[in-house]
mmCIF file of all heavy atoms in Angstrom:
data_model
loop_
_atom_site.group_PDB
_atom_site.id
_atom_site.type_symbol
_atom_site.label_atom_id
_atom_site.label_comp_id
_atom_site.label_asym_id
_atom_site.label_seq_id
_atom_site.Cartn_x
_atom_site.Cartn_y
_atom_site.Cartn_z
ATOM 1 N N THR A 1 26.366 -39.082 74.992
ATOM 2 C CA THR A 1 25.270 -40.027 75.155
ATOM 3 C C THR A 1 24.146 -39.715 74.180
ATOM 4 O O THR A 1 24.016 -38.584 73.698
ATOM 5 C CB THR A 1 24.707 -39.970 76.592
ATOM 6 O OG1 THR A 1 23.616 -40.888 76.714
ATOM 7 C CG2 THR A 1 24.210 -38.569 76.925
ATOM 8 N N ALA A 2 23.340 -40.706 73.904
ATOM 9 C CA ALA A 2 22.141 -40.502 73.092
ATOM 10 C C ALA A 2 20.917 -40.347 73.984
ATOM 11 O O ALA A 2 19.814 -40.133 73.507
ATOM 12 C CB ALA A 2 21.943 -41.697 72.153
ATOM 13 N N TYR A 3 21.125 -40.446 75.304
ATOM 14 C CA TYR A 3 20.011 -40.439 76.245
ATOM 15 C C TYR A 3 20.177 -39.353 77.300
ATOM 16 O O TYR A 3 20.162 -39.610 78.503
ATOM 17 C CB TYR A 3 19.896 -41.800 76.933
ATOM 18 C CG TYR A 3 19.855 -42.947 75.963
ATOM 19 C CD1 TYR A 3 20.985 -43.733 75.749
ATOM 20 C CD2 TYR A 3 18.703 -43.228 75.236
ATOM 21 C CE1 TYR A 3 20.954 -44.782 74.841
ATOM 22 C CE2 TYR A 3 18.671 -44.274 74.329
ATOM 23 C CZ TYR A 3 19.799 -45.050 74.133
ATOM 24 O OH TYR A 3 19.775 -46.069 73.240
ATOM 25 N N TYR A 4 20.330 -38.105 76.844
ATOM 26 C CA TYR A 4 20.583 -37.004 77.771
ATOM 27 C C TYR A 4 19.499 -36.869 78.832
ATOM 28 O O TYR A 4 19.775 -36.765 80.021
ATOM 29 C CB TYR A 4 20.714 -35.691 77.004
ATOM 30 C CG TYR A 4 20.743 -34.471 77.895
ATOM 31 C CD1 TYR A 4 21.797 -34.264 78.771
ATOM 32 C CD2 TYR A 4 19.703 -33.542 77.869
ATOM 33 C CE1 TYR A 4 21.831 -33.162 79.598
ATOM 34 C CE2 TYR A 4 19.730 -32.440 78.694
ATOM 35 C CZ TYR A 4 20.792 -32.253 79.554
ATOM 36 O OH TYR A 4 20.817 -31.164 80.374
ATOM 37 N N ASP A 5 18.221 -36.881 78.426
ATOM 38 C CA ASP A 5 17.132 -36.629 79.372
ATOM 39 C C ASP A 5 17.052 -37.698 80.454
ATOM 40 O O ASP A 5 16.559 -37.449 81.545
ATOM 41 C CB ASP A 5 15.788 -36.530 78.646
ATOM 42 C CG ASP A 5 15.652 -35.208 77.900
ATOM 43 O OD1 ASP A 5 16.198 -34.202 78.382
ATOM 44 O OD2 ASP A 5 15.010 -35.193 76.836
ATOM 45 N N LYS A 6 17.532 -38.899 80.141
ATOM 46 C CA LYS A 6 17.534 -39.984 81.127
ATOM 47 C C LYS A 6 18.374 -39.624 82.342
ATOM 48 O O LYS A 6 18.065 -39.990 83.468
ATOM 49 C CB LYS A 6 18.085 -41.255 80.470
ATOM 50 C CG LYS A 6 18.284 -42.435 81.409
ATOM 51 C CD LYS A 6 18.863 -43.608 80.643
ATOM 52 C CE LYS A 6 19.179 -44.780 81.573
ATOM 53 N NZ LYS A 6 19.758 -45.930 80.841
ATOM 54 N N TYR A 7 19.441 -38.831 82.121
ATOM 55 C CA TYR A 7 20.360 -38.473 83.197
ATOM 56 C C TYR A 7 20.218 -37.032 83.655
ATOM 57 O O TYR A 7 20.770 -36.647 84.683
ATOM 58 C CB TYR A 7 21.811 -38.708 82.752
ATOM 59 C CG TYR A 7 22.081 -40.147 82.423
ATOM 60 C CD1 TYR A 7 22.022 -40.600 81.110
ATOM 61 C CD2 TYR A 7 22.370 -41.058 83.432
ATOM 62 C CE1 TYR A 7 22.253 -41.932 80.805
ATOM 63 C CE2 TYR A 7 22.601 -42.393 83.143
ATOM 64 C CZ TYR A 7 22.540 -42.821 81.825
ATOM 65 O OH TYR A 7 22.753 -44.143 81.535
ATOM 66 N N ALA A 8 19.478 -36.219 82.899
ATOM 67 C CA ALA A 8 19.391 -34.798 83.208
ATOM 68 C C ALA A 8 18.248 -34.449 84.149
ATOM 69 O O ALA A 8 18.070 -33.294 84.514
ATOM 70 C CB ALA A 8 19.247 -33.985 81.921
ATOM 71 N N ALA A 9 17.451 -35.444 84.564
ATOM 72 C CA ALA A 9 16.349 -35.158 85.477
ATOM 73 C C ALA A 9 16.881 -34.505 86.750
ATOM 74 O O ALA A 9 16.279 -33.588 87.304
ATOM 75 C CB ALA A 9 15.609 -36.451 85.817
ATOM 76 N N ASP A 10 18.016 -34.991 87.206
ATOM 77 C CA ASP A 10 18.715 -34.352 88.326
ATOM 78 C C ASP A 10 19.719 -33.389 87.713
ATOM 79 O O ASP A 10 20.658 -33.798 87.044
ATOM 80 C CB ASP A 10 19.445 -35.398 89.163
ATOM 81 C CG ASP A 10 20.232 -34.776 90.316
ATOM 82 O OD1 ASP A 10 20.267 -33.535 90.421
ATOM 83 O OD2 ASP A 10 20.799 -35.544 91.101
ATOM 84 N N GLY A 11 19.546 -32.087 87.945
ATOM 85 C CA GLY A 11 20.405 -31.088 87.335
ATOM 86 C C GLY A 11 21.866 -31.234 87.687
ATOM 87 O O GLY A 11 22.733 -30.689 87.033
ATOM 88 N N ARG A 12 22.170 -32.006 88.746
ATOM 89 C CA ARG A 12 23.563 -32.178 89.165
ATOM 90 C C ARG A 12 24.225 -33.348 88.465
ATOM 91 O O ARG A 12 25.413 -33.577 88.606
ATOM 92 C CB ARG A 12 23.623 -32.390 90.673
ATOM 93 C CG ARG A 12 23.142 -31.202 91.479
ATOM 94 C CD ARG A 12 22.941 -31.564 92.939
ATOM 95 N NE ARG A 12 21.881 -32.576 93.056
ATOM 96 C CZ ARG A 12 21.510 -33.122 94.215
ATOM 97 N NH1 ARG A 12 22.109 -32.778 95.333
ATOM 98 N NH2 ARG A 12 20.536 -34.027 94.264
ATOM 99 N N ALA A 13 23.450 -34.112 87.687
ATOM 100 C CA ALA A 13 23.968 -35.351 87.107
ATOM 101 C C ALA A 13 25.186 -35.135 86.237
ATOM 102 O O ALA A 13 26.099 -35.936 86.226
ATOM 103 C CB ALA A 13 22.872 -36.046 86.296
ATOM 104 N N PHE A 14 25.203 -34.038 85.499
ATOM 105 C CA PHE A 14 26.305 -33.788 84.569
ATOM 106 C C PHE A 14 27.359 -32.881 85.183
ATOM 107 O O PHE A 14 28.052 -32.190 84.474
ATOM 108 C CB PHE A 14 25.764 -33.169 83.283
ATOM 109 C CG PHE A 14 25.132 -34.182 82.375
ATOM 110 C CD1 PHE A 14 23.769 -34.390 82.413
ATOM 111 C CD2 PHE A 14 25.899 -34.923 81.504
ATOM 112 C CE1 PHE A 14 23.178 -35.320 81.579
ATOM 113 C CE2 PHE A 14 25.317 -35.857 80.663
ATOM 114 C CZ PHE A 14 23.952 -36.059 80.704
ATOM 115 N N ARG A 15 27.475 -32.860 86.494
ATOM 116 C CA ARG A 15 28.477 -32.003 87.119
ATOM 117 C C ARG A 15 29.351 -32.795 88.080
ATOM 118 O O ARG A 15 29.800 -32.298 89.096
ATOM 119 C CB ARG A 15 27.784 -30.859 87.857
ATOM 120 C CG ARG A 15 27.070 -29.944 86.877
ATOM 121 C CD ARG A 15 26.304 -28.884 87.575
ATOM 122 N NE ARG A 15 25.522 -28.131 86.595
ATOM 123 C CZ ARG A 15 24.553 -27.300 86.898
ATOM 124 N NH1 ARG A 15 24.242 -27.088 88.142
ATOM 125 N NH2 ARG A 15 23.883 -26.664 85.957
ATOM 126 N N SER A 16 29.587 -34.051 87.745
ATOM 127 C CA SER A 16 30.324 -34.917 88.653
ATOM 128 C C SER A 16 31.805 -34.982 88.345
ATOM 129 O O SER A 16 32.532 -35.708 88.977
ATOM 130 C CB SER A 16 29.730 -36.336 88.596
ATOM 131 O OG SER A 16 29.785 -36.828 87.279
ATOM 132 N N GLY A 17 32.273 -34.231 87.361
ATOM 133 C CA GLY A 17 33.693 -34.258 87.059
ATOM 134 C C GLY A 17 34.006 -34.021 85.599
ATOM 135 O O GLY A 17 35.138 -33.757 85.236
ATOM 136 N N GLU A 18 32.997 -34.124 84.746
ATOM 137 C CA GLU A 18 33.222 -33.941 83.328
ATOM 138 C C GLU A 18 33.478 -32.476 82.992
ATOM 139 O O GLU A 18 33.133 -31.579 83.734
ATOM 140 C CB GLU A 18 32.015 -34.451 82.519
ATOM 141 C CG GLU A 18 30.741 -33.653 82.698
ATOM 142 C CD GLU A 18 30.089 -33.882 84.049
ATOM 143 O OE1 GLU A 18 30.349 -34.907 84.682
ATOM 144 O OE2 GLU A 18 29.321 -33.014 84.448
ATOM 145 N N SER A 19 34.101 -32.236 81.864
ATOM 146 C CA SER A 19 34.402 -30.877 81.416
ATOM 147 C C SER A 19 33.465 -30.424 80.318
ATOM 148 O O SER A 19 33.248 -29.232 80.129
ATOM 149 C CB SER A 19 35.845 -30.804 80.897
ATOM 150 O OG SER A 19 36.757 -31.280 81.854
ATOM 151 N N ASP A 20 32.911 -31.377 79.569
ATOM 152 C CA ASP A 20 32.124 -31.019 78.395
ATOM 153 C C ASP A 20 31.159 -32.156 78.070
ATOM 154 O O ASP A 20 31.205 -33.229 78.681
ATOM 155 C CB ASP A 20 33.055 -30.751 77.211
ATOM 156 C CG ASP A 20 32.573 -29.608 76.344
ATOM 157 O OD1 ASP A 20 31.358 -29.512 76.147
ATOM 158 O OD2 ASP A 20 33.415 -28.834 75.871
ATOM 159 N N TYR A 21 30.291 -31.924 77.082
ATOM 160 C CA TYR A 21 29.256 -32.882 76.737
ATOM 161 C C TYR A 21 29.036 -32.904 75.232
ATOM 162 O O TYR A 21 29.208 -31.907 74.548
ATOM 163 C CB TYR A 21 27.917 -32.495 77.392
ATOM 164 C CG TYR A 21 28.030 -31.931 78.776
ATOM 165 C CD1 TYR A 21 28.289 -30.579 78.978
ATOM 166 C CD2 TYR A 21 27.869 -32.752 79.879
ATOM 167 C CE1 TYR A 21 28.399 -30.062 80.250
ATOM 168 C CE2 TYR A 21 27.981 -32.242 81.161
ATOM 169 C CZ TYR A 21 28.243 -30.894 81.338
ATOM 170 O OH TYR A 21 28.351 -30.371 82.598
ATOM 171 N N LEU A 22 28.593 -34.059 74.729
ATOM 172 C CA LEU A 22 28.215 -34.206 73.327
ATOM 173 C C LEU A 22 27.031 -35.159 73.231
ATOM 174 O O LEU A 22 26.903 -36.084 74.043
ATOM 175 C CB LEU A 22 29.368 -34.776 72.498
ATOM 176 C CG LEU A 22 30.468 -33.811 72.023
ATOM 177 C CD1 LEU A 22 31.580 -34.616 71.354
ATOM 178 C CD2 LEU A 22 29.913 -32.780 71.056
ATOM 179 N N LEU A 23 26.188 -34.929 72.250
ATOM 180 C CA LEU A 23 25.077 -35.829 71.987
ATOM 181 C C LEU A 23 25.452 -36.817 70.890
ATOM 182 O O LEU A 23 26.179 -36.489 69.963
ATOM 183 C CB LEU A 23 23.841 -35.037 71.541
ATOM 184 C CG LEU A 23 23.084 -34.262 72.618
ATOM 185 C CD1 LEU A 23 21.984 -33.433 71.968
ATOM 186 C CD2 LEU A 23 22.490 -35.205 73.653
ATOM 187 N N LYS A 24 24.948 -38.046 71.018
ATOM 188 C CA LYS A 24 25.105 -39.049 69.969
ATOM 189 C C LYS A 24 23.890 -38.995 69.047
ATOM 190 O O LYS A 24 22.775 -38.803 69.533
ATOM 191 C CB LYS A 24 25.199 -40.446 70.569
ATOM 192 C CG LYS A 24 26.551 -40.822 71.145
ATOM 193 C CD LYS A 24 26.496 -42.291 71.564
ATOM 194 C CE LYS A 24 27.841 -42.798 71.993
ATOM 195 N NZ LYS A 24 27.783 -44.240 72.351
ATOM 196 N N PRO A 25 24.051 -39.225 67.761
ATOM 197 C CA PRO A 25 25.328 -39.355 67.053
ATOM 198 C C PRO A 25 26.072 -38.022 67.034
ATOM 199 O O PRO A 25 25.455 -36.972 66.899
ATOM 200 C CB PRO A 25 24.915 -39.777 65.649
ATOM 201 C CG PRO A 25 23.528 -39.233 65.493
ATOM 202 C CD PRO A 25 22.909 -39.312 66.845
ATOM 203 N N VAL A 26 27.371 -38.092 67.181
ATOM 204 C CA VAL A 26 28.183 -36.881 67.296
ATOM 205 C C VAL A 26 28.166 -36.108 65.988
ATOM 206 O O VAL A 26 28.402 -36.661 64.915
ATOM 207 C CB VAL A 26 29.636 -37.237 67.677
ATOM 208 C CG1 VAL A 26 30.507 -35.989 67.694
ATOM 209 C CG2 VAL A 26 29.655 -37.923 69.040
ATOM 210 N N ASP A 27 27.857 -34.826 66.107
ATOM 211 C CA ASP A 27 27.852 -33.931 64.952
ATOM 212 C C ASP A 27 29.220 -33.260 64.836
ATOM 213 O O ASP A 27 29.799 -32.831 65.840
ATOM 214 C CB ASP A 27 26.755 -32.876 65.130
ATOM 215 C CG ASP A 27 26.743 -31.864 64.003
ATOM 216 O OD1 ASP A 27 26.207 -32.183 62.936
ATOM 217 O OD2 ASP A 27 27.280 -30.754 64.206
ATOM 218 N N MET A 28 29.741 -33.164 63.611
ATOM 219 C CA MET A 28 31.083 -32.632 63.411
ATOM 220 C C MET A 28 31.190 -31.194 63.900
ATOM 221 O O MET A 28 32.213 -30.808 64.489
ATOM 222 C CB MET A 28 31.462 -32.718 61.921
ATOM 223 C CG MET A 28 32.923 -32.385 61.651
ATOM 224 S SD MET A 28 34.042 -33.596 62.407
ATOM 225 C CE MET A 28 35.567 -32.669 62.508
ATOM 226 N N CYS A 29 30.158 -30.389 63.662
ATOM 227 C CA CYS A 29 30.212 -28.990 64.095
ATOM 228 C C CYS A 29 30.279 -28.894 65.617
ATOM 229 O O CYS A 29 31.021 -28.082 66.166
ATOM 230 C CB CYS A 29 28.993 -28.230 63.578
ATOM 231 S SG CYS A 29 28.996 -27.967 61.798
ATOM 232 N N GLU A 30 29.503 -29.743 66.303
ATOM 233 C CA GLU A 30 29.517 -29.722 67.764
ATOM 234 C C GLU A 30 30.834 -30.271 68.303
ATOM 235 O O GLU A 30 31.355 -29.793 69.315
ATOM 236 C CB GLU A 30 28.326 -30.515 68.317
ATOM 237 C CG GLU A 30 26.977 -29.908 67.991
ATOM 238 C CD GLU A 30 26.913 -28.446 68.362
ATOM 239 O OE1 GLU A 30 27.323 -28.088 69.479
ATOM 240 O OE2 GLU A 30 26.456 -27.638 67.532
ATOM 241 N N LEU A 31 31.367 -31.278 67.642
ATOM 242 C CA LEU A 31 32.668 -31.801 68.051
ATOM 243 C C LEU A 31 33.724 -30.725 67.912
ATOM 244 O O LEU A 31 34.590 -30.563 68.786
ATOM 245 C CB LEU A 31 33.045 -33.018 67.204
ATOM 246 C CG LEU A 31 34.446 -33.594 67.468
ATOM 247 C CD1 LEU A 31 34.558 -34.097 68.912
ATOM 248 C CD2 LEU A 31 34.761 -34.715 66.487
ATOM 249 N N ASP A 32 33.664 -29.960 66.829
ATOM 250 C CA ASP A 32 34.652 -28.903 66.615
ATOM 251 C C ASP A 32 34.586 -27.864 67.724
ATOM 252 O O ASP A 32 35.625 -27.403 68.203
ATOM 253 C CB ASP A 32 34.410 -28.235 65.261
ATOM 254 C CG ASP A 32 35.543 -27.301 64.879
ATOM 255 O OD1 ASP A 32 36.677 -27.781 64.699
ATOM 256 O OD2 ASP A 32 35.306 -26.090 64.792
ATOM 257 N N LYS A 33 33.376 -27.511 68.159
ATOM 258 C CA LYS A 33 33.242 -26.565 69.272
ATOM 259 C C LYS A 33 33.877 -27.140 70.536
ATOM 260 O O LYS A 33 34.528 -26.429 71.299
ATOM 261 C CB LYS A 33 31.769 -26.243 69.523
ATOM 262 C CG LYS A 33 31.089 -25.462 68.413
ATOM 263 C CD LYS A 33 29.624 -25.236 68.755
ATOM 264 C CE LYS A 33 28.891 -24.542 67.625
ATOM 265 N NZ LYS A 33 27.453 -24.348 67.939
ATOM 266 N N THR A 34 33.673 -28.439 70.741
ATOM 267 C CA THR A 34 34.248 -29.095 71.922
ATOM 268 C C THR A 34 35.766 -29.079 71.875
ATOM 269 O O THR A 34 36.435 -28.794 72.880
ATOM 270 C CB THR A 34 33.744 -30.550 72.003
ATOM 271 O OG1 THR A 34 32.325 -30.553 72.160
ATOM 272 C CG2 THR A 34 34.376 -31.279 73.178
ATOM 273 N N ILE A 35 36.333 -29.378 70.705
ATOM 274 C CA ILE A 35 37.794 -29.369 70.562
ATOM 275 C C ILE A 35 38.346 -27.970 70.785
ATOM 276 O O ILE A 35 39.403 -27.780 71.402
ATOM 277 C CB ILE A 35 38.214 -29.898 69.175
ATOM 278 C CG1 ILE A 35 37.760 -31.345 68.989
ATOM 279 C CG2 ILE A 35 39.727 -29.794 69.005
ATOM 280 C CD1 ILE A 35 38.247 -32.297 70.053
ATOM 281 N N GLN A 36 37.636 -26.960 70.292
ATOM 282 C CA GLN A 36 38.067 -25.581 70.514
ATOM 283 C C GLN A 36 38.069 -25.256 72.003
ATOM 284 O O GLN A 36 39.006 -24.636 72.515
ATOM 285 C CB GLN A 36 37.168 -24.603 69.759
ATOM 286 C CG GLN A 36 37.211 -24.726 68.241
ATOM 287 C CD GLN A 36 38.605 -24.517 67.675
ATOM 288 O OE1 GLN A 36 39.387 -23.742 68.213
ATOM 289 N NE2 GLN A 36 38.916 -25.210 66.599
ATOM 290 N N ARG A 37 37.016 -25.680 72.708
ATOM 291 C CA ARG A 37 36.959 -25.415 74.156
ATOM 292 C C ARG A 37 38.073 -26.161 74.882
ATOM 293 O O ARG A 37 38.660 -25.650 75.843
ATOM 294 C CB ARG A 37 35.583 -25.800 74.704
ATOM 295 C CG ARG A 37 34.463 -24.862 74.278
ATOM 296 C CD ARG A 37 33.196 -25.127 75.049
ATOM 297 N NE ARG A 37 32.565 -26.380 74.685
ATOM 298 C CZ ARG A 37 31.603 -26.503 73.781
ATOM 299 N NH1 ARG A 37 31.182 -25.451 73.104
ATOM 300 N NH2 ARG A 37 31.049 -27.685 73.532
ATOM 301 N N TYR A 38 38.372 -27.386 74.434
ATOM 302 C CA TYR A 38 39.478 -28.131 75.025
ATOM 303 C C TYR A 38 40.796 -27.387 74.827
ATOM 304 O O TYR A 38 41.582 -27.233 75.771
ATOM 305 C CB TYR A 38 39.575 -29.527 74.400
ATOM 306 C CG TYR A 38 40.931 -30.148 74.578
ATOM 307 C CD1 TYR A 38 41.347 -30.601 75.830
ATOM 308 C CD2 TYR A 38 41.832 -30.229 73.518
ATOM 309 C CE1 TYR A 38 42.606 -31.132 76.011
ATOM 310 C CE2 TYR A 38 43.087 -30.767 73.693
ATOM 311 C CZ TYR A 38 43.473 -31.213 74.934
ATOM 312 O OH TYR A 38 44.727 -31.731 75.117
ATOM 313 N N ARG A 39 41.035 -26.927 73.618
ATOM 314 C CA ARG A 39 42.272 -26.185 73.340
ATOM 315 C C ARG A 39 42.372 -24.944 74.201
ATOM 316 O O ARG A 39 43.440 -24.622 74.738
ATOM 317 C CB ARG A 39 42.326 -25.801 71.867
ATOM 318 C CG ARG A 39 42.552 -26.965 70.913
ATOM 319 C CD ARG A 39 42.314 -26.536 69.484
ATOM 320 N NE ARG A 39 42.640 -27.578 68.513
ATOM 321 C CZ ARG A 39 42.279 -27.537 67.238
ATOM 322 N NH1 ARG A 39 41.597 -26.499 66.781
ATOM 323 N NH2 ARG A 39 42.608 -28.511 66.414
ATOM 324 N N PHE A 40 41.254 -24.237 74.343
ATOM 325 C CA PHE A 40 41.239 -23.023 75.156
ATOM 326 C C PHE A 40 41.554 -23.339 76.614
ATOM 327 O O PHE A 40 42.252 -22.592 77.298
ATOM 328 C CB PHE A 40 39.878 -22.337 75.069
ATOM 329 C CG PHE A 40 39.540 -21.832 73.687
ATOM 330 C CD1 PHE A 40 38.220 -21.586 73.347
ATOM 331 C CD2 PHE A 40 40.513 -21.611 72.731
ATOM 332 C CE1 PHE A 40 37.895 -21.123 72.081
ATOM 333 C CE2 PHE A 40 40.200 -21.151 71.466
ATOM 334 C CZ PHE A 40 38.883 -20.901 71.143
ATOM 335 N N SER A 41 41.032 -24.464 77.113
ATOM 336 C CA SER A 41 41.261 -24.836 78.511
ATOM 337 C C SER A 41 42.726 -25.127 78.782
ATOM 338 O O SER A 41 43.210 -24.946 79.895
ATOM 339 C CB SER A 41 40.418 -26.060 78.875
ATOM 340 O OG SER A 41 40.952 -27.243 78.312
ATOM 341 N N ARG A 42 43.456 -25.548 77.751
ATOM 342 C CA ARG A 42 44.867 -25.879 77.897
ATOM 343 C C ARG A 42 45.768 -24.682 77.652
ATOM 344 O O ARG A 42 46.938 -24.705 78.020
ATOM 345 C CB ARG A 42 45.241 -27.003 76.909
ATOM 346 C CG ARG A 42 44.503 -28.292 77.175
ATOM 347 C CD ARG A 42 44.969 -28.968 78.438
ATOM 348 N NE ARG A 42 43.960 -29.871 78.977
ATOM 349 C CZ ARG A 42 44.191 -30.794 79.895
ATOM 350 N NH1 ARG A 42 45.408 -30.924 80.386
ATOM 351 N NH2 ARG A 42 43.221 -31.548 80.356
ATOM 352 N N ASP A 43 45.219 -23.665 77.015
ATOM 353 C CA ASP A 43 46.015 -22.490 76.657
ATOM 354 C C ASP A 43 45.192 -21.233 76.910
ATOM 355 O O ASP A 43 44.574 -20.695 75.991
ATOM 356 C CB ASP A 43 46.430 -22.570 75.190
ATOM 357 C CG ASP A 43 47.435 -21.477 74.806
ATOM 358 O OD1 ASP A 43 47.636 -20.552 75.609
ATOM 359 O OD2 ASP A 43 47.995 -21.568 73.700
ATOM 360 N N PRO A 44 45.133 -20.752 78.163
ATOM 361 C CA PRO A 44 44.317 -19.577 78.508
ATOM 362 C C PRO A 44 44.634 -18.354 77.670
ATOM 363 O O PRO A 44 43.746 -17.574 77.331
ATOM 364 C CB PRO A 44 44.648 -19.338 79.985
ATOM 365 C CG PRO A 44 45.092 -20.663 80.490
ATOM 366 C CD PRO A 44 45.825 -21.288 79.336
ATOM 367 N N GLN A 45 45.908 -18.151 77.328
ATOM 368 C CA GLN A 45 46.271 -16.997 76.514
ATOM 369 C C GLN A 45 45.628 -17.090 75.137
ATOM 370 O O GLN A 45 45.109 -16.109 74.613
ATOM 371 C CB GLN A 45 47.793 -16.909 76.375
ATOM 372 C CG GLN A 45 48.270 -15.697 75.581
ATOM 373 C CD GLN A 45 47.885 -14.388 76.245
ATOM 374 O OE1 GLN A 45 47.816 -14.307 77.467
ATOM 375 N NE2 GLN A 45 47.623 -13.362 75.454
ATOM 376 N N ARG A 46 45.625 -18.309 74.599
ATOM 377 C CA ARG A 46 44.993 -18.523 73.305
ATOM 378 C C ARG A 46 43.491 -18.277 73.417
ATOM 379 O O ARG A 46 42.876 -17.712 72.529
ATOM 380 C CB ARG A 46 45.246 -19.957 72.854
ATOM 381 C CG ARG A 46 44.601 -20.315 71.526
ATOM 382 C CD ARG A 46 44.964 -21.739 71.167
ATOM 383 N NE ARG A 46 44.414 -22.100 69.875
ATOM 384 C CZ ARG A 46 44.645 -23.257 69.281
ATOM 385 N NH1 ARG A 46 45.442 -24.131 69.858
ATOM 386 N NH2 ARG A 46 44.102 -23.535 68.109
#
């Protein structure tokens, strides 16, 4: 989202089922960190 603070007033807002977060416009470096975390979640040994 591009409007994080709009939803973050309630600290529980981003804990309803999502695994990760990104800000718009999406930055390639941040996307890469997200993809790495996704890969790790699928392969604990890795």
Side-chain angles (χ1 to χ4, degrees):
T1 179
Y3 308 103
Y4 170 66
D5 285 328
K6 174 181 176 180
Y7 298 96
D10 178 356
R12 296 168 297 178
F14 282 95
R15 294 176 186 167
S16 58
E18 67 287 338
S19 306
D20 218 321
Y21 322 85
L22 279 174
L23 285 174
K24 281 186 173 182
V26 176
D27 177 80
M28 189 65 201
C29 290
E30 295 309 313
L31 176 62
D32 190 63
K33 293 178 184 179
T34 298
I35 298 304
Q36 296 301 327
R37 289 191 290 266
Y38 159 72
R39 289 169 174 167
F40 296 159
S41 74
R42 297 289 157 165
D43 188 349
Q45 182 62 32
R46 178 178 182 176

